[in-house]
């Protein structure tokens, strides 16, 4: 009996010691992390078909995130308490992101203000808020606000390449800020441009010298962009060559060294270097990195360059090489076939071109080129002055887009297909249907800026082609409701009012 | 021993164990083991609740590192935590239940009728503890042999990865086979721990194929579940992380059934080899 008592006392003593050692926030932090996971999973689920989700459901998701800090309060002061506060802040950031998606920038800024006041001791979180504020300001063309917010984000968060969070995005900011300064200054002289890029240059030079290898590699790539933006082509080329050399010396390289060579060829195109020089760089890439996925891209770029020079035989050979490469991305394979069809059409081999254009939607159904193929047929008949053929091709294009949308009703390629359908209908002069398609597309895109463009296009068609002022005003009203907190929404509201008043 | 005789012995031993399936008394130790494991799982899964936190957190941190207290890392590491905890429990507690089961099976086969199963197992606890500790230490060490293979080769080459898994799996079955008779020597022949371990190895050598097959069968049948729980990242992406607890519960249930057959069959072979064959 005494032995059992002694054992029980020893157990209680051990348990008490353990209780002192364990942080009081540990269990709460675990439950808060679980609640955040659940809320994120819910948002992911809703994001599969966002067009089917009501605003009330999104607000419920916001509530899930916003409730986390109050449901799981911080008790202690240790490391776990900081982790728990980070969970709170991330939950609020997610809530702000949903407000952003809903276009409710007022609530979004409220949440940001709450984070900034409550989590000042978490630099990564406040840095993320500053970064988000910068993006918002940039989208509203508030250049001064954007520059100040980005500067704050950079001061709070150290850059770390490859990081999926804000630390991974920080390294791009000096270049972005320099571009904003150029845009904001309205001074197109080279001296003003140099002035705008000076800070970025100093920053990237410092990064190349100091940072860990991955960040230094990224800094070199951005340094090339900085130089190219100032038309300092030799400096940009030398940075890209140094980048390729660094990548080539690493085992395994964090990025394909061929990417730097491809960037060099793009730089040459941008600097309007002679075609021979561009083609030489692309050929050297194909020779030096035959197994690289960038080799197929280089072949396509080479084909494009040959086409520009009128060298169709070599262009066709390069395009065949793209088709012969293993595991070519769907889009690149489609683009290569489309370019081949265009070359064949221009060289009078319409039957061969037609075969390729007919096969494209079958062989690469989800590529952009497959959606452009029916339009290419229409263009051929228009160029040939064959009105009947063009009309028939337009009808075929319409059927092709409708078939595609039946098979793939959602996704980014479907948005493209719907846009092409609307434009085809407009070209067929079936304006009523075209307006309906543009409206459907604009509404489906929710808060995306492109949605406003499609709604505006629908209003314009209704007004100019159908002469239906009431319908145009209605569409503009819908745009105003959909983009209530944005400039475009205000513009649409004013335009609708102007239309209703009639010509002054 | 030729292969036909070995196969015959496996079938005979398993049939003898299965014939005892309707004797409720023999199931009791296995049900107690399953109960202890379920209780341990429930306690571990509720480590974040007030009273349990100070007691369980040091244990789970000790078993799998400090990252275990984060969600959903906890569920990623739960299979490792639970397998190590089970091993620990088998040394500290459940070796008594296995001991009692061996005596109960021996009685069912008409031997050791004078022994009181639970009392005998409790009395021989120190020897059972040592023998089980040696087995547990071996099983704990086997996965670490995988570190001898360069990590890069393992990640890059799936053939090497599967070969390494196969070798480690074989070694753990071999090690269990060598020590599988130790508890029977301790309880039915009253040997001390180290001698029982030595004699178990000798007995395994003389009945290698049937013993190895008997130990390997449940291990092979449970392997898919073990593999599935080791790929817990799949659960995080496709289901809720908590689904891993369901896999572990299924594992406990199957171990209950396979454990019954294995202990029964091993006891039958032990009795045959030490008494009848002589």
């Amino acid at each position: 009996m005494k032995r059992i008592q002694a054992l029980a006392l020893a157990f209680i003593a051990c348990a008490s010691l353990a209780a002192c050692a364990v942080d009081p926030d540990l269990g709460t932090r675990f439950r808060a992390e679980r609640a955040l996971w659940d809320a994120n999973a819910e948002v992911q689920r809703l994001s599969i078909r966002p067009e089917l989700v009501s605003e009330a459901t999104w607000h419920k998701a916001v509530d899930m995130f916003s409730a986390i800090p109050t449901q799981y309060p911080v008790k202690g002061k240790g490391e776990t308490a900081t982790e728990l506060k980070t969970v709170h802040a991330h939950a609020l950031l997610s809530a702000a992101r949903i407000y952003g998606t809903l276009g409710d920038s007022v609530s979004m800024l409220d949440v940001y203000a709450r984070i900034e006041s409550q989590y000042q001791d978490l630099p990564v979180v406040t840095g993320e808020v500053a970064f988000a504020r910068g993006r918002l300001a940039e989208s509203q063309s508030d250049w001064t606000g954007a520059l100040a917010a980005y500067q704050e984000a950079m001061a709070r968060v150290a850059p770390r390449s490859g990081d999926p969070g804000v630390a991974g995005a920080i390294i791009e900011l000096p270049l972005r800020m320099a571009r904003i300064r150029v845009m904001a200054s309205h001074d197109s002289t080279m001296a003003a441009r140099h002035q705008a890029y000076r800070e970025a240059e100093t920053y990237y030079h410092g990064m190349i010298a100091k940072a860990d290898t991955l960040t230094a590699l990224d800094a070199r790539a951005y340094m090339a962009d900085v130089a190219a933006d100032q038309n300092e082509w030799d400096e940009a080329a030398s940075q890209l060559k140094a980048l390729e050399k660094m990548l080539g010396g690493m085992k395994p390289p964090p990025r394909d060294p061929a990417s730097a060579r491809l960037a060099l060829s793009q730089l040459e195109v941008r600097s309007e270097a002679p075609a021979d020089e561009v083609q030489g760089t692309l050929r050297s890439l194909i020779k030096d990195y035959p197994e690289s996925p960038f080799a197929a891209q280089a072949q396509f770029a080479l084909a494009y360059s040959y086409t520009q020079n009128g060298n169709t035989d070599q262009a066709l050979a390069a395009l065949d090489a793209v088709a012969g490469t293993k595991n070519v991305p769907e889009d690149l394979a489609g683009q290569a076939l489309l370019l081949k069809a265009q070359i064949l059409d221009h060289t009078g081999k319409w039957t061969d071109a037609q075969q390729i254009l007919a096969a494209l939607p079958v062989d690469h159904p989800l590529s952009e080129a497959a959606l452009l193929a029916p339009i290419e047929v229409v263009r051929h008949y228009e160029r040939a002055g064959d009105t009947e053929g063009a009309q028939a091709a337009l009808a075929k294009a319409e059927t092709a887009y409708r078939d595609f949308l039946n098979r793939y009703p959602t996704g980014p390629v479907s948005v493209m297909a719907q846009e092409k359908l609307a434009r085809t209908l407009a070209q067929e002069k079936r304006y009523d249907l075209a307006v309906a398609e543009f409206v459907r597309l604009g509404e489906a895109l929710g808060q995306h800026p492109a949605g406003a463009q499609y709604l505006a296009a629908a209003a314009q068609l209704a007004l100019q082609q159908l002469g239906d002022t009431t319908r145009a005003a209605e569409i503009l009203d819908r745009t105003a409701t959909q983009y209530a907190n944005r400039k475009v929404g205000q513009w649409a509201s004013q335009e609708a009012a102007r239309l209703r008043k009639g010509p002054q | 021993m030729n292969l036909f005789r070995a196969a015959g012995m496996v079938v005979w031993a398993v049939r003898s164990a299965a014939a005892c399936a309707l004797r409720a008394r023999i199931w009791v130790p296995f049900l107690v083991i399953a109960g202890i494991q379920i209780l341990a799982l429930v306690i571990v899964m509720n480590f974040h609740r007030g009273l349990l936190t100070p007691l369980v957190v040091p244990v789970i941190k000790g078993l799998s590192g400090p990252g275990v207290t984060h969600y959903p890392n906890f569920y990623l590491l739960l299979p490792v935590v639970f397998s190590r905890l089970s091993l620990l429990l088998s040394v500290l507690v459940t070796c008594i239940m296995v001991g009692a089961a061996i005596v109960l099976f021996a009685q069912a086969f008409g031997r050791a009728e004078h022994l009181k199963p639970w009392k005998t197992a409790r009395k021989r606890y120190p020897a059972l503890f040592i023998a089980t500790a040696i087995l547990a230490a071996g099983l704990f060490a086997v996965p670490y042999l995988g570190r001898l293979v360069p990590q890069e080769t393992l990640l890059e080459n799936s053939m090497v990865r599967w070969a390494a898994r196969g070798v480690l799996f074989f070694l753990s079955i071999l090690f269990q086979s060598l020590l599988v008779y130790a508890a029977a020597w301790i309880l039915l022949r009253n040997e001390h721990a180290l001698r029982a371990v030595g004699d178990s190895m000798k007995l395994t050598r003389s009945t290698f194929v049937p013993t190895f097959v008997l130990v390997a069968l449940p291990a092979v049948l449970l392997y898919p579940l073990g593999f599935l729980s080791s790929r817990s990242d799949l659960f995080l992406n496709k289901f809720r992380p908590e689904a891993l607890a369901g896999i572990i519960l299924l594992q406990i249930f199957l171990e209950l059934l396979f454990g019954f057959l294995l202990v029964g069959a091993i006891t039958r072979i032990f009795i045959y080899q030490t008494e009848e064959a002589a």
Side-chain angles (χ1 to χ4, degrees):
Chain A
M1 193 62 192
K2 278 184 182 173
R3 231 170 104 185
I4 293 169
Q5 279 173 348
L7 274 171
L9 277 173
F11 178 76
I12 291 166
C14 287
S16 310
L17 275 174
C20 295
V22 172
D23 206 308
D25 286 313
L26 200 137
T28 318
R29 187 208 56 201
F30 180 83
R31 289 193 295 278
E33 284 172 341
R34 187 167 58 191
L36 181 60
W37 173 277
D38 287 345
N40 280 329
E42 176 65 6
V43 169
Q44 266 179 17
R45 192 183 67 77
L46 297 177
S47 303
I48 295 170
R49 298 285 296 271
E51 67 276 14
L52 300 179
V53 181
S54 68
E55 206 167 311
T57 314
W58 284 117
H59 277 109
K60 270 186 197 162
V62 167
D63 292 344
M64 279 172 85
F65 285 116
S66 308
I68 289 173
T70 39
Q71 275 177 353
Y72 306 99
V74 179
K75 286 172 201 152
K77 279 186 174 175
E79 194 186 327
T80 318
T82 311
E83 286 170 356
L84 180 55
K85 280 169 91 176
T86 310
V87 173
H88 291 172
H90 279 293
L92 292 176
L93 277 172
S94 301
R97 262 181 231 123
I98 298 177
Y99 280 133
T101 319
L102 294 173
D104 186 353
S105 52
V106 177
S107 303
M108 186 172 82
L109 289 171
D110 277 352
V111 178
Y112 283 154
R114 186 178 160 194
I115 297 170
E116 277 170 336
S117 67
Q118 288 179 2
Y119 305 100
Q120 284 167 348
D121 51 338
L122 302 174
V124 175
V125 173
T126 47
E128 202 164 334
V129 169
F131 182 71
R133 277 187 190 281
R135 290 186 68 168
L136 184 69
E138 202 183 331
S139 72
Q140 293 169 342
S141 308
D142 170 10
W143 310 126
T144 320
L147 287 172
Y150 287 149
Q151 197 71 53
E152 199 183 326
M154 282 174 62
R156 285 172 188 269
V157 185
R160 201 168 55 247
S161 288
D163 187 289
V166 71
I170 286 289
I171 193 154
E172 192 231 337
L173 287 187
L175 174 65
R176 196 190 278 197
M177 287 164 73
R179 286 176 177 165
I180 290 174
R181 277 192 203 106
V182 170
M183 256 191 296
S185 74
H186 302 293
D187 185 350
S188 56
T189 60
M190 210 29 102
R193 195 170 269 261
H194 287 320
Q195 181 67 28
Y197 279 85
R198 191 164 296 158
E199 251 181 56
E201 260 175 12
T202 317
Y203 179 87
Y204 290 126
H205 274 307
M207 279 292 139
I208 291 168
K210 271 192 256 167
D212 62 277
T213 320
L214 208 59
T215 311
L217 287 172
D218 272 351
R220 215 173 262 285
Y222 284 118
M223 193 61 216
D225 281 336
V226 165
D229 280 3
Q230 298 175 81
N231 296 351
E232 291 170 357
W233 309 114
D234 290 343
E235 167 65 10
S238 102
Q239 289 294 347
L240 288 173
K241 281 175 188 164
L243 175 65
E244 187 188 340
K245 200 175 167 191
M246 277 170 81
L247 287 168
M250 294 165 92
K251 291 220 176 330
R255 251 182 285 143
D256 193 337
S259 64
R261 186 81 64 93
L262 189 68
L264 183 64
S265 74
Q266 286 160 349
L267 181 79
E268 285 165 353
V269 173
R270 199 174 150 189
S271 67
E272 293 172 3
D276 284 350
E277 201 179 310
V278 179
Q279 288 164 10
T281 306
L282 290 166
R283 275 195 297 265
S284 74
L285 188 162
I286 296 159
K287 189 179 158 224
D288 294 346
Y289 304 101
E291 299 300 319
S292 164
F294 289 98
Q297 277 192 47
Q299 289 281 17
F300 179 73
L302 201 54
Y304 190 76
S305 178
Y306 286 140
T307 313
Q308 301 279 75
N309 287 4
N311 193 347
T312 50
D313 288 343
Q314 276 185 302
L316 288 172
L319 290 172
D320 287 341
V322 176
T325 313
K326 275 185 200 165
N327 303 324
V328 187
E330 178 90 349
D331 255 331
L332 184 62
Q335 277 177 23
L337 283 173
L338 186 67
L339 183 57
K340 190 176 177 180
Q342 285 167 342
I343 295 171
L344 289 170
D345 183 20
H346 285 292
T347 49
K349 293 174 185 165
W350 171 239
T351 320
D352 293 342
Q354 207 175 12
Q355 273 178 4
I356 292 171
L357 292 171
L360 235 170
V362 182
D363 294 339
H364 304 285
L366 292 174
S367 66
E368 191 183 350
L371 296 176
L372 292 170
I375 297 290
E376 201 55 43
V377 179
V378 176
R379 277 189 198 145
H380 166 82
Y381 287 114
E382 280 174 352
R383 272 196 302 270
D386 181 350
T387 323
E388 221 171 275
Q391 279 303 321
L394 275 171
K396 270 191 187 173
E398 186 196 329
T399 315
Y401 295 137
R402 287 198 192 280
D403 284 351
F404 182 88
L405 288 166
N406 279 337
R407 266 180 291 152
Y408 309 102
T410 52
V413 187
S414 306
V415 171
M416 247 189 284
Q418 208 170 344
E419 187 212 336
K420 301 258 178 292
L421 173 63
R423 294 200 190 283
T424 308
L425 289 167
Q427 226 175 323
E428 284 182 289
K429 298 190 172 38
R430 295 163 75 188
Y431 299 116
D432 202 31
L433 288 173
V435 168
E437 278 306 324
F438 271 127
V439 169
R440 202 177 305 158
L441 181 58
E443 285 181 343
L445 284 173
Q447 291 297 314
H448 196 282
Q453 283 174 22
Y454 295 131
L455 288 169
Q460 197 180 4
L461 271 184
L463 187 69
Q464 291 177 354
Q465 303 297 340
L466 299 173
D468 189 345
T469 317
T470 318
R471 194 169 174 192
E474 269 173 20
I475 295 167
L476 287 168
D477 279 343
R478 273 190 226 178
T479 316
T481 319
Q482 197 165 316
Y483 297 90
N485 294 313
R486 299 197 188 174
K487 277 183 183 169
V488 69
Q490 289 164 10
W491 168 84
S493 178
Q494 285 162 5
E495 283 298 301
R498 196 176 59 80
L499 283 180
R500 286 204 176 91
K501 268 190 201 166
Q504 297 290 311
Chain B
M1 189 182 286
N2 69 49
L3 277 176
F4 285 110
R5 198 168 163 232
M9 187 180 257
V10 170
V11 173
W12 166 74
V14 172
R15 275 181 62 184
S16 306
C20 302
L22 292 177
R23 292 174 191 239
R25 277 182 72 204
I26 304 181
W27 280 104
V28 174
F30 297 100
L31 289 171
V32 174
I33 293 173
I36 289 171
Q37 287 184 331
I38 290 169
L39 185 68
L41 181 65
V42 170
I43 289 173
V44 166
M45 282 178 65
N46 286 285
F47 82 91
H48 53 90
R49 295 195 192 279
L51 285 172
L52 290 174
T53 308
L55 296 173
V56 185
V57 167
V59 177
I60 59 172
K61 274 188 175 177
L63 289 173
S64 64
V68 72
T69 57
H70 286 277
Y71 186 92
N73 274 22
F74 171 75
Y75 287 97
L76 276 171
L77 292 168
L78 185 61
V80 175
V81 171
F82 185 73
S83 66
R84 288 179 180 174
L85 190 62
S86 291
L87 214 55
L88 207 63
L89 286 172
S90 72
V91 177
L92 294 173
V93 189
T94 56
C95 62
I96 297 179
M97 286 88 207
V98 174
I102 288 172
V103 178
L104 284 163
F105 268 115
Q107 288 176 345
F109 300 139
R111 306 293 191 283
E113 276 158 347
H114 60 287
L115 294 177
K116 289 183 176 167
W118 290 95
K119 199 176 171 187
T120 310
R122 268 205 315 272
K123 217 170 108 186
R124 302 291 292 138
Y125 175 68
L128 285 172
F129 174 86
I130 293 168
T132 322
I134 294 170
L135 176 64
L139 291 178
F140 186 77
V142 165
Y144 287 93
L145 293 175
R147 294 192 181 179
L148 296 174
V149 186
Q151 205 62 22
E152 257 180 43
T153 322
L154 271 181
L155 289 172
E156 282 168 11
N157 194 328
S158 66
M159 287 284 280
V160 175
R161 206 159 51 237
W162 278 103
R165 274 187 197 135
V167 169
L168 295 180
F169 190 53
F170 173 82
L171 285 176
S172 69
I173 293 172
L174 182 69
F175 195 70
Q176 282 182 75
S177 304
L178 288 171
L179 300 190
V180 77
Y181 296 108
W185 280 111
I186 290 167
L187 291 153
L188 303 178
R189 294 291 174 271
N190 211 24
E191 285 189 355
H192 62 76
L194 295 179
R195 192 166 168 199
V197 167
D199 284 344
S200 172
M201 287 181 182
K202 280 182 204 160
L203 188 52
T204 302
R205 211 170 51 200
S206 65
T207 58
F208 183 73
V209 178
T211 306
F212 188 84
V213 170
L214 276 174
V215 175
L217 265 177
V220 169
L221 290 170
L222 284 169
Y223 186 78
L225 280 184
F227 179 72
L228 205 59
S229 53
S230 73
R231 294 297 315 274
S232 39
D233 51 318
L234 294 177
F235 282 83
L236 295 194
N237 298 328
K238 303 278 173 196
F239 310 101
R240 279 194 65 83
E242 285 80 353
L244 270 162
I247 296 280
I248 294 173
L249 274 175
L250 184 62
Q251 220 167 343
I252 292 172
F253 174 72
L254 291 175
E255 273 175 8
L256 168 80
L257 301 180
F258 293 142
F260 181 91
L261 292 176
L262 177 65
V263 173
I266 287 297
T267 311
R268 191 71 201 88
I269 290 178
F270 176 83
I271 291 169
Y272 176 78
Q273 287 296 116
T274 54
E275 294 176 17
E276 296 163 19

